[in-house]
Amino acid sequence: YSYYLCASFGVACPWKRFLTQAQMLQFCLCLSHSSYLLLCTREDVYPRSMILLQMWVMVNMLVLFGNFYRKRYSNADKGRDKPSAPKSLTSISKVSAVVPSTLMSDCPNPCPVEGVDNKQPTNVCPVPTSA
């Protein structure tokens, strides 16, 4: 929890990558433990349903943390350790860059429409303007 304390105060935590790796190792160990229980114990010692539930949770956690790790740290070798901006923010900035500023200034609430190809923006102002 020291990572969350540092992050809440805005302190950069150099060990957060290793923390994610340690958590993924923990999930692997828990998965292997539950696999051992499934194969080597009797039903009256540990209920099979609880073992299978633990295996399900550990596999899901590995997938989720693995996706996070891949997205967050795949570009670390290139000197980039920050996640990319959300798609909604990048699409807004792309549309804003394409639409002339005079068109955007006429709209009291500019926002892009889903599926705009950013070359020919249409209906960037859903609020009707008075003509």
Side-chain angles (χ1 to χ4, degrees):
Y1 295 102
S2 60
Y3 165 74
Y4 298 111
L5 178 67
C6 290
S8 68
F9 288 117
V11 177
C13 300
W15 64 85
K16 67 180 173 181
R17 182 177 189 165
F18 302 112
L19 179 65
T20 305
Q21 291 173 344
Q23 287 175 311
M24 291 174 65
L25 176 64
Q26 177 188 5
F27 300 144
C28 288
L29 291 173
C30 289
L31 183 61
S32 63
H33 177 255
S34 58
S35 299
Y36 168 77
L37 291 176
L38 185 66
L39 298 174
C40 300
T41 60
R42 297 185 321 258
E43 177 70 31
D44 59 337
V45 177
Y46 290 105
R48 297 278 185 238
S49 60
M50 298 310 290
I51 296 171
L52 293 173
L53 178 64
Q54 182 181 13
M55 292 176 81
W56 172 253
V57 170
M58 291 303 111
V59 167
N60 281 300
M61 295 300 279
L62 274 170
V63 168
L64 292 171
F65 274 69
N67 286 339
F68 167 79
Y69 188 85
R70 182 179 46 82
K71 288 177 184 177
R72 176 71 180 199
Y73 300 113
S74 64
N75 294 327
D77 296 334
K78 298 175 187 173
R80 182 174 164 231
D81 193 21
K82 295 181 181 176
S84 59
K87 289 183 180 181
S88 60
L89 293 178
T90 55
S91 64
I92 290 172
S93 63
K94 286 179 183 176
V95 170
S96 298
V98 174
V99 177
S101 59
T102 55
L103 180 62
M104 293 298 283
S105 64
D106 292 340
C107 183
N109 186 17
C111 60
V113 175
E114 285 294 320
V116 174
D117 63 358
N118 295 331
K119 293 179 183 169
Q120 297 295 325
T122 58
N123 196 14
V124 292
C125 183
V127 179
T129 57
S130 57

